[in-house]
Amino acid sequence: MNTTTPRPRQFASDNNAGICPEAWAALAEANQGHAVGYGDDPWTAKAADLIREVFETDCEVFFVFNGTAANSLALASLCQSYHSILCHEIAHVETDECGAPEFFSNGTKVLLLPGENGKIDPSGIERMVRRRTDIHYPKPRVVSVTQATEVGTVYSVDELKAVGLMAKALGLKVHMDGARFANAVASLGAKPAEVTWRAGIDVLCLGGTKNGTHVGDAVVFFNRDLAHEFDYRCKQAGQLASKMRFLAAPWVGTLQNGVWLRHAAHANRMAELLHDQIRELPRLKILFPRQANSVFAELPEAVSAGLRARGWKFYNFIGRGGCRLMCSWDTTEEDIRNFASDLKALLS
Ligand SMILES: *Cc1c(COP(=O)(O)O)cnc(C)c1O
């Protein structure tokens, strides 16, 4: 493999993109001299302060290596082993974490809810909780929502509030998987606070990697009581970074001056452009409303094979099938035009 020539951008995943310039610059700056390990350094303090500023509240913040760790440890901190977690049937915590939420919580059961466009709703939550109340049923304890969802849709603030209210009424905590939280916020044009704690979210797993950092997601506890001894949980799970400043610095680089939302808005705009260019094509069906940085399309088998033969990469096993076309912070209009033109040629 030639590792020196740049390889073309693709639509497989936003984690196929590289590191954005602002995160890279912050890493370089953090790479000066020595700093104390394990989080007791100025970069980690600054990154946590910036998250508190962005969310306009005094939340507890922890940095871990990836989203699976963030989700599993956050959920584990809310549950006992005899509890259950309610989430959408295609939620990442259910389908893409290899059982880590159950593992780290020592067996908490995940209960699956159906729902259109990758979203759960209050009636589904209520049905699952009221279905059984006896001692033989794993006691419902947490509702988990993904924002933006696995199929690229976005919960409105009102939808989140409704979920939050129902959860509170039933005595449940609310977790948000925000691997693409930035894309959701950019799409809604709402304040991060409105989309989280003001809507009843207790803990947010805030994704950085898919929006231009090199590694690391943040666990943000709006309900600070739930963060009790979370530092020990991270350490035991191998999620306490020794050179923590390199997990924290990219947050400083991207949270300042609204960089994170600018990158997310760009990715969303590229997906919108792609959607506009392909949605009317014959023999192609758009599967979900395009709201964040992805487009899901059903294509004839020969056409997706043809795209792959022309060198395009994308997944077709995520969500409910169909081809997932994911845009990132560095996707260009030219990428979109090239892809759309190949697709048009194959469909005609
Ligand atoms: C990517 C992703 C995650 C985190 O995955 P990691 O690979 O563990 O970082 C979590 N939730 C959703 C919805 C994701 O798309």
Side-chain angles (χ1 to χ4, degrees):
M1 184 176 66
N2 182 345
T3 54
T4 54
T5 43
R7 279 174 297 283
R9 285 176 295 272
Q10 292 294 348
F11 295 94
S13 178
D14 29 10
N15 68 11
N16 286 22
I19 304 169
C20 68
E22 298 84 358
W24 189 260
L27 281 168
E29 223 187 297
N31 197 30
Q32 314 274 332
H34 285 206
V36 180
Y38 304 110
D40 206 5
D41 66 274
W43 289 95
T44 306
K46 173 88 177 161
D49 280 346
L50 281 167
I51 288 177
R52 284 187 274 269
E53 197 180 306
V54 160
F55 286 94
E56 303 173 78
T57 188
D58 189 19
C59 42
E60 286 263 17
V61 179
F62 301 84
F63 299 101
V64 297
F65 288 102
N66 63 22
T68 299
N71 281 335
S72 326
L73 296 177
L75 289 167
S77 75
L78 308 185
C79 296
Q80 297 290 333
S81 55
Y82 49 82
H83 284 141
S84 53
I85 298 158
L86 280 61
C87 67
H88 195 276
E89 58 198 4
I90 59 162
H92 198 273
V93 295
E94 159 68 8
T95 62
D96 291 280
E97 298 187 355
C98 199
E102 294 91 330
F103 176 77
F104 282 108
S105 57
N106 293 309
T108 303
K109 191 172 171 68
V110 177
L111 298 175
L112 305 179
L113 307 180
E116 246 191 288
N117 295 327
K119 299 182 195 176
I120 57 175
D121 59 37
S123 63
I125 296 168
E126 186 171 32
R127 211 174 307 119
M128 188 60 96
V129 171
R130 298 219 192 274
R131 190 163 78 156
R132 291 266 298 267
T133 50
D134 57 86
I135 190 99
H136 307 282
Y137 191 60
K139 191 169 193 257
R141 168 74 177 167
V142 186
V143 173
S144 175
V145 290
T146 310
Q147 175 78 320
T149 73
E150 284 74 9
V151 294
T153 55
V154 174
Y155 286 90
S156 70
V157 171
D158 284 343
E159 285 171 331
L160 288 173
K161 277 189 184 150
V163 166
L165 282 175
M166 178 55 77
K168 288 290 164 313
L170 296 168
L172 308 177
K173 303 286 182 245
V174 187
H175 160 264
M176 179 178 275
D177 174 349
R180 297 191 181 88
F181 183 76
N183 302 95
V185 170
S187 169
L188 290 169
K191 290 187 154 204
E194 299 293 333
V195 189
T196 54
W197 60 275
R198 287 203 181 113
I201 307 298
D202 294 294
V203 56
L204 166 71
C205 295
L206 178 60
T209 316
K210 286 174 178 151
N211 195 33
T213 70
H214 68 312
V215 66
D217 287 5
V219 182
V220 182
F221 287 94
F222 301 110
N223 181 341
R224 296 173 59 102
D225 296 342
L226 298 172
H228 180 63
E229 297 184 344
F230 194 73
D231 45 351
Y232 286 89
R233 199 178 281 285
C234 288
K235 174 66 191 180
Q236 186 183 50
Q239 292 292 324
L240 177 63
S242 173
K243 289 188 180 172
M244 183 69 93
R245 72 185 193 273
F246 297 110
L247 284 199
W251 288 102
V252 176
T254 52
L255 288 174
Q256 281 175 333
N257 309 315
V259 167
W260 67 300
L261 289 178
R262 186 159 49 75
H263 285 320
H266 170 82
N268 291 356
R269 206 159 44 243
M270 290 301 105
E272 185 182 16
L273 182 64
L274 177 61
H275 181 253
D276 288 349
Q277 298 221 346
I278 70 172
R279 70 179 164 179
E280 310 259 289
L281 296 176
R283 300 193 293 137
L284 174 151
K285 185 172 163 226
I286 300 289
L287 294 175
F288 305 102
R290 197 293 313 167
Q291 293 172 334
N293 57 326
S294 57
V295 178
F296 283 75
E298 202 169 82
L299 301 172
E301 189 59 43
V303 172
S304 55
L307 284 168
R308 291 206 164 90
R310 291 179 182 217
W312 294 107
K313 293 188 176 32
F314 49 87
Y315 290 123
N316 60 358
F317 61 87
I318 289 170
R320 301 230 182 258
C323 300
R324 186 188 75 166
L325 305 167
M326 185 64 81
C327 297
S328 19
W329 67 270
D330 66 345
T331 303
T332 66
E333 289 184 19
E334 195 191 359
D335 298 334
I336 303 293
R337 278 195 299 272
N338 290 343
F339 180 87
S341 120
D342 277 352
L343 181 53
K344 275 175 205 159
L346 286 161
L347 279 168
S348 61

